[in-house]
Amino acid sequence: MKITYVLAGLLSLTAASQAELMRVNLKKADITPAEQMLAYSETGSYMAQKYFGSVHRKMKTDEANQIIGLDANGKPTYGVPLSNYMNAQYYGEVNVGTPPQTFSVVFDTGSSNFWVPSTHCNSIACFLHRRFDSEKSTTFRPNGTQFAIQYGSGSLEGIISNDVVEVGGAVIKGQDFGESVKEPGLAFAFGKFDGIFGLGYDTISVLGVVPPFYSLVNQKLIDEAVFGFYLAQAEGSTGGQMTLGGVDSNHFTGDLQWHNVRRKGYWEIDLSKIQLGDEEVEMNAGAVIDTGSSLIVLATAMAEMINKEIGAKKNYAGQYTIECEKVPSLPEFSFFFGSTKYTLQGSDYVLNAGGSCISGFMGMDFPESLGDLWIVGDVFLRKYYSVYDLGKNRVGFAPSK
């Protein structure tokens, strides 16, 4: 039987008892209202960077496997605590190299590459964050292949390197990752995270680099190709937790409801219908479940319609805002993934940033190659515990607790 490891606070425990999943309360960042507004205003830039830069990547289409119950009895689980950055960014820590160099990363189901800033980077964003120094690692192996991830505000450029990567106590040997030498835009400069830890399918990984979660599976560091996310509300005592190799049933109620992945690129499932109050709209769309996104992002015309219905208006920064006192009386909003209904209250889909209330629905026009797409981010994922099953190509949800 494998040993369970977990991150405690900001440090990794080296060992824990067998078969026991350890649970850790996490700290959240102390953020000013001005920083909150800035983070939300940069969401559009960050989303354009992620998804517009993904157009050139070919996503394979396959039928997902038959839904089968998840047997988590006795399975080892690595727990990674997540810090809550004013409900706009959830991030945790990983270590790279020997001795370990620690980085805060966004655990992002909406991308597939792992990268951190390099000491060779001269961008402002890099100087504001921790940078990887290959000369200080005895296990570093140079690769040198250049990469560029095309983003809406420019290109994130760097080199591929190879080293030991530790996440939640699990040690991955010989992991390829990106060292960024140029980082574009303000989204990275002002982010509380150093880098990105992609958890999407390998089909959208730049240069075909094997994502770290695949390495966890391939090196048999976990028994099941499953990871789960619990994202806490800002007023809670913790930021949340990501589990690797299983789920933490203490963070959800009832049974997980499973939905097949429709395209093996993003964690994309079928969106059959939406409902706002008593009004229903039939859909034939994809819903990308994205832990690295703070809002619900959809086509501009639909976003304008929804925001008009809830009384939200655009401000000078292009954000949809609403009077905070109206939030308790807002109509419910529901997603139908397949035949299963998932409901959000007004207090779920409106975000309070230091007394300014911002709609969680943001408009963006996607390239035709992506089809009719919704990006379902943390606005939804704080309400519902989510599980990502790479072995059976499915996503599961249950109400968080």
Side-chain angles (χ1 to χ4, degrees):
M1 180 180 295
K2 296 183 179 69
I3 296 178
T4 298
Y5 298 93
V6 65
L7 281 177
L10 297 179
L11 299 174
S12 299
L13 297 179
T14 57
S17 60
Q18 290 184 333
E20 180 184 1
L21 175 64
M22 299 181 68
R23 300 166 183 86
V24 181
N25 289 329
L26 310 172
K27 296 179 180 179
K28 59 180 181 289
D30 185 15
I31 303 299
T32 67
E35 287 176 313
Q36 284 185 305
M37 293 297 290
L38 175 62
Y40 289 132
S41 69
E42 286 299 314
T43 297
S45 172
Y46 180 59
M47 297 306 297
Q49 289 169 357
K50 286 179 64 173
Y51 288 91
F52 290 1
S54 303
V55 177
H56 66 284
R57 306 173 196 167
K58 182 179 179 182
M59 294 196 302
K60 299 177 181 178
T61 303
D62 293 288
E63 287 192 18
N65 293 339
Q66 185 73 21
I67 293 178
I68 303 175
L70 175 65
D71 180 10
N73 293 331
K75 302 299 183 182
T77 300
Y78 299 96
V80 178
L82 302 175
S83 296
N84 181 348
Y85 175 41
M86 81 281 183
N87 275 345
Q89 299 164 356
Y90 291 83
Y91 55 94
E93 293 195 336
V94 298
N95 294 317
V96 181
T98 308
Q101 299 176 43
T102 302
F103 299 91
S104 294
V105 295
V106 173
F107 293 105
D108 180 20
T109 59
S111 65
S112 298
N113 288 87
F114 169 42
W115 62 264
V116 294
S118 171
T119 52
H120 302 294
C121 180
N122 292 318
S123 298
I124 294 176
C126 293
F127 284 110
L128 295 174
H129 296 92
R130 290 174 282 194
R131 298 182 293 168
F132 177 70
D133 189 344
S134 60
E135 294 183 357
K136 293 183 178 180
S137 175
T138 60
T139 48
F140 170 78
R141 291 189 298 174
N143 179 304
T145 301
Q146 296 183 352
F147 74 92
I149 303 176
Q150 298 301 320
Y151 287 151
S153 61
S155 174
L156 185 142
E157 301 174 6
I159 55 174
I160 301 297
S161 296
N162 184 285
D163 212 326
V164 170
V165 173
E166 182 267 327
V167 54
V171 179
I172 305 170
K173 297 179 180 178
Q175 175 64 47
D176 285 336
F177 66 99
E179 288 187 63
S180 67
V181 299
K182 176 185 175 184
E183 297 186 14
L186 296 177
F188 297 125
F190 289 100
K192 293 295 182 179
F193 57 90
D194 302 310
I196 303 291
F197 192 99
L199 290 162
Y201 279 85
D202 60 358
T203 52
I204 60 169
S205 175
V206 172
L207 295 181
V209 173
V210 177
F213 187 73
Y214 280 73
S215 297
L216 287 171
V217 175
N218 296 339
Q219 295 182 23
K220 302 186 186 305
L221 297 173
I222 53 179
D223 279 354
E224 290 182 292
V226 172
F227 58 95
F229 272 89
Y230 164 69
L231 304 182
Q233 296 284 356
E235 61 270 24
S237 59
T238 68
Q241 185 185 72
M242 177 181 72
T243 56
L244 300 168
V247 301
D248 187 348
S249 59
N250 288 282
H251 283 310
F252 63 89
T253 61
D255 297 326
L256 290 164
Q257 302 298 313
W258 293 101
H259 306 278
N260 290 339
V261 171
R262 71 198 311 243
R263 287 186 290 187
K264 295 177 184 176
Y266 304 110
W267 290 94
E268 182 183 349
I269 59 178
D270 287 324
L271 174 58
S272 58
K273 184 168 60 175
I274 60 170
Q275 182 176 349
L276 181 63
D278 296 328
E279 298 293 325
E280 296 183 354
V281 178
E282 298 291 332
M283 308 289 294
N284 182 20
V288 173
I289 311 305
D290 188 354
T291 58
S293 300
S294 56
L295 307 177
I296 295 171
V297 185
L298 60 154
T300 300
M302 180 70 77
E304 290 177 349
M305 181 188 73
I306 292 175
N307 282 308
K308 181 179 180 180
E309 288 295 317
I310 65 175
K313 299 179 180 179
K314 270 190 178 181
N315 64 10
Y316 65 92
Q319 300 166 327
Y320 283 98
T321 62
I322 189 170
E323 296 176 22
C324 293
E325 59 267 24
K326 294 183 178 180
V327 172
S329 60
L330 290 177
E332 293 181 344
F333 177 86
S334 299
F335 287 110
F336 287 78
F337 299 136
S339 60
T340 307
K341 182 179 182 180
Y342 298 92
T343 298
L344 301 176
Q345 307 296 324
S347 56
D348 299 318
Y349 63 75
V350 174
L351 308 173
N352 192 314
S356 297
C357 286
I358 302 171
S359 168
F361 298 101
M362 188 184 79
M364 181 176 290
D365 291 322
F366 295 95
E368 291 184 4
S369 59
L370 292 178
D372 190 2
L373 202 65
W374 290 54
I375 301 170
V376 181
D378 300 342
V379 166
F380 176 85
L381 295 172
R382 282 190 290 273
K383 184 76 174 285
Y384 294 97
Y385 186 91
S386 59
V387 183
Y388 307 80
D389 189 338
L390 184 63
K392 297 183 175 70
N393 298 303
R394 58 183 185 168
V395 180
F397 302 111
S400 293
K401 70 174 182 179

